Amino acid sequence: MRRVEDLGPGGKAVLLRADLNVPLDGARITDDGRIRASLPTIGKLTARGARVIVCAHLGRPKGEDYAQRAAGGPSLRPVAARLGELLGQPVAFADDVAGSSAAAVAAGLADGEVALLENVRFEPAETSKDDGQRAELARRLAALAELYVGDGFGAMHRKHASVYDVPRLLPHAAGDLVAAEISVLRQLTTEPPRPYVVVLGGAKPSDKLAVIGNLLTRADRLLIGGGMAYTFLAAQGHQVGGSLLEADQIPQVSAVLAEAARAGVEVVLPSDHIVAGRLAADAPAETVAEVDIPAGKLGLDIGPATRAEFARKLTDARTVFWNGPPGVFEYPAFADGTRAVAEAITKVEGLTVVGGGDSAAAVRLLGIPESAFTHISTGGGASLEYLEGRELPGLTALADGR
Ligand code: ADP
Ligand code: MG
């Protein structure tokens, strides 16, 4: 795969697909981690005198056509402002994705300057399953530039126009973020130092069963917390009260447990819980000191005994992959499990990788220094699909020589 340095971007217009999909509270950016992660490649391009036209998506715009989506938002405009602050130079903003505003803004850039296009998902063709529709948008985007750099790791698992189709139309290279992500994830799939411990949490097992299946052939130990743990506990015949449960996934989860036993992979599930009567910031938290949860109560975090057990199971690890918070960390009363897991991982001597948008946001929200981990991936779905062994369309497109 070609890199930015190989492209000779000086004096050229470069379309950079970045991942700027930050969490928003109204127009306020609550975590700018993904913007920061995009800076090295943008800086490398501007330092070489490229005219950088950044293309990115934000959230999930709804509506039949461009006009409806643009009216409903979210707009990338606040992201342009934050990107400018972090870069220390103004970022011009195009009011459309690949229309007259984009063309004017791109034409107005001088060497070393940066522009951001409006939310690419305002264009329904961006995510279309129809190759022709995507190709038409890709042609309009490609017309804005002479070169393409793919650096939006978080979107690399999507066969989208700006990710998959544009690199077929322009000489292209992989950005530094993508290169860094791949080099770390590759270490997890090729002879990771052992013991290799995987910590999984988050909302639903159905999101992650495929990666669990793949990890069973690689990891030595699986620590499972968070919302997904209750389907595992239910599969073992435990009472889970009103906790998050995907009853239809019980057969698959049972199969995973059986496969783990066969493969000699240790699976550690919660043995106690922090529960509440409802999922709310002000719901009074109680500890349930056993595996079974009473009716009417929701398990919202792992309990103290589970925290200690998870930490113990991490002490001798030489490789750790953590995806999915073990509790509802967004509310302080249910954040202790996530904090305990994060802190235990920071003490591990070895390769420690955090994957998953919410897990990465939790690390930052809890004030744990990012430098305490080997790598915090910007791509939740993308990193999981890579670890599943699936081909990422965005990477495939970048790898094609041209
Ligand atoms: P990631 O983005 O890191 O892959 P997920 O998106 O899978 O993680 O899950 C994150 C969400 O899971 C968080 O919003 C968190 O509140 C939620 N969660 C964690 N534990 C529970 C639980 N016990 N019950 C309900 N939701 C939970
Ligand atoms: Mg998530």
Side-chain angles (χ1 to χ4, degrees):
M1 209 153 36
R2 227 167 351 181
R3 301 291 304 278
V4 168
E5 334 24 342
D6 310 324
L7 270 187
K12 300 237 170 88
V14 179
L15 186 73
L16 172 69
R17 177 57 160 104
D19 176 11
L20 304 177
N21 190 24
V22 290
L24 291 175
D25 180 8
R28 193 177 65 89
I29 296 163
T30 54
D31 178 38
D32 64 6
R34 281 179 164 162
I35 306 178
R36 291 176 183 276
S38 307
L39 299 176
T41 301
I42 299 176
K44 203 178 225 185
L45 286 166
T46 55
R48 284 169 167 72
R51 289 173 273 131
V52 185
I53 302 151
V54 185
C55 169
H57 76 277
L58 184 62
R60 293 175 181 275
K62 293 193 180 60
E64 300 283 302
D65 56 17
Y66 187 99
Q68 279 182 18
R69 291 178 178 213
S75 169
L76 271 170
R77 191 178 283 279
V79 173
R82 183 73 188 125
L83 179 60
E85 281 167 24
L86 291 169
L87 280 172
Q89 70 181 84
V91 171
F93 186 68
D95 278 322
D96 58 25
V97 176
S100 54
S101 175
V105 165
L109 285 182
D111 293 352
E113 289 185 347
V114 181
L116 176 62
L117 305 176
E118 185 52 287
N119 189 349
V120 69
R121 291 202 189 159
F122 286 176
E123 293 276 0
E126 165 69 357
T127 58
S128 173
K129 298 261 185 289
D130 182 305
D131 292 347
Q133 287 178 4
R134 285 200 321 278
E136 188 275 330
L137 173 59
R139 273 192 297 276
R140 282 192 284 132
L141 283 167
L144 298 170
E146 298 152 272
L147 303 171
Y148 175 92
V149 172
D151 206 28
F153 182 69
M156 287 264 155
H157 59 314
R158 306 291 190 198
K159 196 175 175 183
H160 290 170
S162 67
V163 175
Y164 179 74
D165 301 276
V166 183
R168 315 187 138 217
L169 303 176
L170 294 172
H172 52 257
D176 284 19
L177 175 64
V178 160
E181 294 272 8
I182 296 305
S183 104
V184 171
L185 292 173
R186 196 175 283 143
Q187 290 179 59
L188 292 178
T189 53
T190 48
E191 301 187 17
R194 297 187 180 279
Y196 175 13
V197 182
V198 173
V199 187
L200 289 175
K204 298 179 289 178
S206 55
D207 290 345
K208 297 178 183 175
L209 277 172
V211 71
I212 297 176
N214 192 284
L215 289 168
L216 284 178
T217 62
R218 303 185 197 276
D220 300 300
R221 226 173 267 155
L222 223 53
L223 316 181
I224 301 180
M228 65 155 51
Y230 304 105
T231 306
F232 281 83
L233 291 174
Q236 292 185 332
H238 291 290
Q239 302 302 313
V240 298
S243 307
L244 204 66
L245 173 66
E246 286 188 308
D248 61 328
Q249 297 293 318
I250 287 179
Q252 289 87 321
V253 162
S254 300
V256 162
L257 288 170
E259 176 58 28
R262 214 172 11 246
V265 176
E266 186 183 7
V267 177
V268 185
L269 291 167
S271 56
D272 65 347
H273 316 272
I274 306 296
V275 306
R278 61 201 160 86
L279 174 55
D282 62 350
E286 298 164 51
T287 303
V288 169
E290 56 179 358
V291 182
D292 293 279
I293 297 176
K297 299 288 183 189
L298 287 67
L300 296 178
D301 196 8
I302 52 174
T306 307
R307 276 177 241 152
E309 176 74 350
F310 280 16
R312 218 166 21 247
K313 294 289 181 187
L314 282 161
T315 42
D316 65 341
R318 290 296 166 268
T319 303
V320 178
F321 176 66
W322 171 30
N323 170 269
V328 182
F329 70 92
E330 293 92 338
Y331 302 148
F334 311 105
D336 288 347
T338 304
R339 183 184 299 282
V341 160
E343 283 176 352
I345 296 173
T346 64
K347 296 203 183 87
V348 167
E349 286 171 39
L351 177 67
T352 55
V353 180
V354 183
D358 291 294
S359 311
V363 165
R364 290 188 281 264
L365 185 79
L366 298 174
I368 297 164
E370 291 178 55
S371 58
F373 303 90
T374 311
H375 182 70
I376 299 186
S377 176
T378 52
S383 49
L384 289 179
E385 290 200 13
Y386 187 93
L387 293 180
E388 279 167 35
R390 293 197 1 209
E391 183 177 309
L392 305 186
L395 273 189
T396 307
L398 290 179
D400 281 353
R402 201 206 120 114

